[in-house]
Structures are given as structure tokens and as C-alpha cells.
Amino acid sequence: MNVHGPSAGVGVLFNPALAGFVEHHSDAVDFYSVIPERFWVDHGRGAAPRFAPLPHEVGLLERLAARKPVTAHGIGLSIASASLFDLDYVAQLKDWKRRYGFAWVSEHLAAMRLAGGAGSDHHAGLALPLPWDEELLALLCPRIARVQEALGGPIALENGVEYTPVPHAELSEPAFLNALTARTGCGILLDLHNLHVNERNLGRPARGFIDALDLDTVVEIHIAGGSSLHGIYLDAHSGPCPPEVFALLRQVAPRCRNLRGVTFEFLESYFPSMGEEGVLEQIELAREALRPPEHPPCPSPNSSAHSAT
Amino acid sequence: MSLAEFQRALGDLIASPVRCAKVRRLPGLALAGYALTARARERLLGMAGDPRMAMNCTLYRVNRLIPLHAVLPRSCRLLGSRLGGVLDAYFAGERDGTLQFGMEASRFAQWLAARHDTTPALRDLLAFELACHAVISAAGEPERGDDPRRRTLALRHDIGALLAAAEGEEPPPLPAPVLLELDARGDALVLTLVEPANA
Ligand SMILES: [Fe+2]
């Protein structure tokens, strides 16, 4: 069930710089992805009331939800944090999913918060590298089951970026994700730029990851751009996608039979350099990458097992 | 519990290149405060010695700076070359960071205002930028008695001079404090000088 028919739609991750875009160019996208945390202030676990809606931002959400289907891309669950599992956050997500009819809900497969003293949480500042072990699978599976029960359907979890991998992992990352989706029925949000970042920094081939992943579990794909700092390539969401990301999209999308949407992500601080035209161009390039080639190449023996039928 | 302790230790490493160096130098001592399995300990040692760990430490710093700079850009500029040292002290003393911009900026401003070496000019600018953020964030809220879209500040400096001050330079104080009203009820933020505070 895709957002606009039998093939995957193309959308953009909403940020406030796109308020004018929503008014003038909503016809160019099939859906908007929104970060729900942008629409409320979270006073932290244990606070009462904990979540305070931001009226101006909620007004924006209502305007875009009136125009296009909306999907939710959460950043605050921190489902892989061993020291906390935030069910109040899940309840808030459930409430907003019901209110705005999110077409699907995704989250990061990440540990970003650590339980601190006196009930306060410490934000780790970035997603901690995860150990791809059975121990983490055992932590995640019952949590995902509870989240999905609350949301009334599967959640999609996003693969992340690693700058310093945890050594001696029991599983590769795609093998870990395959085990997670097989045991819980959750989906995968496949971020192609994150794969590109890991390929550039760690020498892990993106195509190898894709070939090892059960692509039937992929419900959404993220595309984005990045930039370099001190010789490291960052997932900076700093404007247009590099050509490698579109090449990956062309390769992987036809193999994802349950793909519902491709989402272009960028940070609002880069909007002035792109403008509405720049965003429209990225959307068009994504559409082009999704279009079946007029003369499809013969499938390689390696790819036939995953090919869409 | 071992995964939680591994993540706690890893979070501490990412927050501090100094701690990474200490783990490399004196692992027994530096990791003594965590209940780690042998594998978790070995992993942390490997990561602390990985040159790529520096990027995690840099990103931690950048990500904690972003909310502060977003809400308090002029205050950061007024600090000039002192900013790096101030951030080091803040990050070391206030580990419970949050990426909720308003909360993090307000906590930083309170912490900074309480320091003995924070000048009156910087205190005024911190109060002004926090108040701007608060009234603008409340801009879409309906009218009510205690209207969060309006706020009045008593300042000892001309706000125009403070906003125009070059990096690291501070304007002299006014002869007498003034009251400045911030009003975000309309399409744009309106600043009105009410009257001298002591009039
Ligand atoms: Fe992403």
C-alpha cells in the first residue's frame, strides 16, 4: 500500500524552511515526512505535563496534512538505549498518529539517550555505535513488539551511520537487521546516504550491505547529501544528494517489493543555498531513478534472488 | 545490565577526548566506575584507541553547541575567543545535555549568568535572546491573561548597541536601566522601549 498508488511515492522530510514550498509546490511531492518532535516541547521523562504542543508548528503540520499524506519520522525514542525504554513517548506518538493519520511511522535504530541520575536523561550528543549482538536483539525484540502493539501496526527502523564501529560484533549490520525484522515483523527504513557515508569512512561497500539485506522488509528509503570535515565524510544533510546515492537508489528500489516512499532529507540551514528549485530538482531526480529503464539490463545471478516480480 | 554499562561508558568517552586519552593511558582506573564484562571492556579499549573516535568527540561538541548557537547566537559572538573555554567548562559540568533547543539554551544561560566572570553586558544579551526565543515560540498561542507572547525586560545596556557589538567587544552601560517590551502577537517581533526603568 503505497502513498500514491502501485509504485513508491517521492516525498521530502519537512522542515520549517519548507513552509512556502508547502503552499506552492505540494503537487510535486506524494507525501511529507515529518519529525513529530518538531511540533511539541518535551519537558523530559517524569515531567507533568510532559509534552507541550507548539501552536505555530502544529498549525504548519495541519496545513501540510490538509494537502498531502503525512508519515512520521521520530528521532526521540532511542529504542536501543539499554538504560531506558520510554513508553510515555510511545503513547505520545500513538496519539499523534491517530490525530494526523500518519501513513506509517519510522524511527532510528539508535541509542541516543542514557538514563541519568534523579530521573533526568543525558543526551549522548549523537547516536552511540551499537554492538550487533544477540544481547541487543534480545533487548530490542520485546520493545519493538510493545511499540507496534501501541501503534497498531509495524514500525520501520532506520539504519544509521557509524564513525567508530564497536569491535568484535557477533553479526554484520544487515544480518542483525534481518534477524530483527524476521523476529518482530518490523520494517526497515533504508537510508542510502548512511550506507554511502559508511562506505566512504569505513570502506564498507554499500552494495554489499544491500545484497545482504532482506529487501522485502524495506518500506521507505532515505536519500540525502553530506559534506567532509577533517577528512571524514559526514551525514550532514547539507543539500543535494551525491550521484552515488542516486545510483544506489536506481539499483535498490526495483528490488524492494514493499517500498512505499522515497524521502529526500536536508537541514533547513541549507535551504537558502538550494531554494525551492533545488528541492524540486532532487525530487525529480528521485522520480527519474525510480522510473523503470526502457531497456532493462539482464539481471545478474546475484540480484535475481531479490528481484521484484 | 552489561549493555547499559557499556553504553554509559561509551557515552562518557564520546563526551570527552580527555577521558578517551585516560582510558588509553590508564584503562583500569578510567573504567573502574563501570560494571563491565570482559568483552565490553575490551571493546571500549579498542574504541578509545581508534583514531576515528575523535570524530565522535567532535560531533558531540558540535551537536551540543547547535541548540546554544541557534537560540543565543549574539551571546556566543559576544563571548568571542572565550567561547571555546566556556563551552568546555559547561559541557564538563552539565552532562545532562538535551537537544531541546529552548531548554538547553536556558540552562546554559542560567549557568553562564551565575559565573562570577560573566559581564553585565553578556547577562543582558542572554536575557534578551532567551526572551526573544520564548515569545517567538509562543507566537501561535491564543491570547490569555498572562500572555506568553509578550515579555518586559529591565536592561542596563542599549540593545541595539549590544546586537551590533563586534566579536568579543562590549558597549558601555547606559546611565540608567531601561525597560524593553518584546511583543510577538503580530506577524513580526516588535521591540518597544517603555520608559527608563527608574522613571
Ligand atoms: Fe535518514
Side-chain angles (χ1 to χ4, degrees):
Chain A
M1 194 176 76
N2 302 305
V3 285
H4 80 147
S7 59
V10 177
V12 63
L13 183 66
F14 177 78
N15 65 57
L18 286 170
F21 183 97
V22 171
E23 301 294 329
H24 305 118
H25 298 294
S26 282
D27 286 348
V29 294
D30 302 305
F31 65 94
Y32 287 107
S33 174
V34 300
I35 296 173
E37 289 86 346
R38 277 189 179 275
F39 303 102
W40 63 65
V41 174
D42 182 351
H43 293 292
R45 284 193 304 144
R50 173 165 170 190
F51 299 101
L54 293 164
H56 177 71
E57 282 74 6
V58 170
L60 281 174
L61 174 57
E62 280 167 0
R63 285 215 290 284
L64 63 94
R67 284 171 169 78
K68 288 288 166 182
V70 175
T71 72
H73 180 51
I75 57 172
L77 180 55
S78 197
I79 196 165
S81 292
S83 58
L84 65 96
F85 180 36
D86 193 348
L87 285 167
D88 290 338
Y89 174 90
V90 176
Q92 171 80 349
L93 207 51
K94 172 192 174 183
D95 187 33
W96 281 54
K97 181 184 181 230
R98 186 181 43 75
R99 204 183 302 176
Y100 295 100
F102 297 144
W104 68 85
V105 176
S106 63
E107 252 288 353
H108 293 86
L109 176 53
M112 285 185 274
R113 283 192 282 151
L114 302 166
S120 65
D121 292 343
H122 158 59
H123 197 290
L126 68 159
L128 295 175
L130 294 174
W132 306 119
D133 299 341
E134 272 296 333
E135 184 187 7
L136 182 58
L137 276 172
L139 175 91
L140 287 170
C141 289
R143 289 184 175 190
I144 292 170
R146 287 195 70 173
V147 171
Q148 296 187 143
E149 193 184 301
L151 295 179
I155 190 167
L157 294 172
E158 178 175 358
N159 60 298
V161 164
E162 288 181 329
Y163 297 102
T164 318
V166 178
H168 317 302
E170 293 168 9
L171 298 166
S172 69
E173 187 181 353
F176 183 93
L177 296 179
N178 290 345
L180 198 65
T181 52
R183 291 183 201 180
T184 66
C186 75
I188 294 297
L189 193 178
L190 180 62
D191 190 313
L192 296 179
H193 188 251
N194 289 353
L195 296 186
H196 179 60
V197 172
N198 288 342
E199 177 167 307
R200 284 190 57 166
N201 293 332
L202 307 175
R204 277 188 203 155
R207 283 164 205 263
F209 184 107
I210 288 167
D211 288 340
L213 187 70
D214 177 0
L215 296 177
D216 282 351
T217 62
V218 175
V219 294
E220 185 180 357
I221 287 177
H222 272 179
I223 56 172
S227 53
S228 294
L229 178 72
H230 303 315
I232 307 250
Y233 183 72
L234 300 176
D235 179 37
H237 294 185
S238 48
C241 308
E244 293 91 337
V245 167
F246 285 117
L248 288 173
L249 180 61
R250 252 187 300 280
Q251 188 213 24
V252 72
R255 295 164 58 188
C256 300
R257 291 185 293 192
N258 299 307
L259 179 64
R260 301 176 71 178
V262 174
T263 309
F264 171 54
E265 306 182 280
F266 72 96
L267 282 182
E268 60 256 52
S269 50
Y270 295 93
F271 183 72
S273 62
M274 293 175 73
E276 291 180 349
E277 288 306 314
V279 177
L280 289 168
E281 188 180 300
Q282 293 300 301
I283 290 162
E284 189 45 41
L285 286 169
R287 287 199 192 286
E288 242 175 68
L290 292 180
R291 235 166 255 143
E294 284 178 13
H295 303 288
C298 295
S300 70
N302 284 345
S303 65
S304 59
H306 297 292
S307 291
T309 52
Chain B
M1 194 57 193
S2 68
L3 183 57
E5 284 295 276
F6 171 75
Q7 289 181 338
R8 186 165 74 88
L10 184 54
D12 288 346
L13 286 184
I14 281 170
S16 167
V18 173
R19 186 171 279 272
C20 287
K22 194 170 170 191
V23 169
R24 289 194 295 270
R25 232 177 29 250
L26 299 163
L29 191 65
L31 296 176
Y34 308 97
L36 297 169
T37 61
R39 180 170 71 168
R41 196 171 178 282
E42 192 187 335
R43 282 173 161 171
L44 289 165
L45 281 175
M47 294 176 84
D50 187 333
R52 294 171 297 194
M53 194 66 176
M55 184 47 61
N56 284 328
C57 297
T58 302
L59 287 173
Y60 169 86
R61 209 175 157 76
V62 169
N63 288 340
R64 283 204 70 181
L65 174 60
I66 285 171
L68 306 182
H69 196 268
V71 179
L72 308 166
R74 305 294 182 124
S75 301
C76 289
R77 198 175 73 155
L78 199 65
L79 278 163
S81 59
R82 290 176 51 215
L83 179 63
V86 166
L87 291 177
D88 282 341
Y90 177 66
F91 294 162
E94 299 285 323
R95 286 296 320 282
D96 289 342
T98 163
L99 296 188
Q100 295 275 323
F101 281 26
M103 279 166 68
E104 180 69 3
S106 159
R107 193 152 55 183
F108 175 65
Q110 275 175 28
W111 174 89
L112 191 53
R115 275 169 67 111
H116 71 277
D117 56 348
T118 297
T119 61
L122 182 54
R123 286 200 176 96
D124 271 2
L125 195 50
L126 288 166
F128 173 74
E129 290 195 297
L130 274 185
C132 284
H133 180 76
V135 296
I136 290 169
S137 299
E141 289 187 21
E143 191 147 359
R144 59 175 204 241
D146 175 22
D147 199 329
R149 301 169 302 173
R150 294 172 74 186
R151 195 170 285 195
T152 304
L153 294 175
L155 301 174
R156 296 184 161 276
H157 294 77
D158 177 73
I159 198 64
L162 271 180
L163 294 174
E167 191 176 309
E169 284 182 17
E170 298 191 355
L174 292 166
V178 292
L179 288 180
L180 183 71
E181 187 189 74
L182 293 79
D183 187 344
R185 288 175 299 173
D187 289 340
L189 174 65
V190 177
L191 303 180
T192 312
L193 206 53
V194 184
E195 283 296 327
N198 58 355

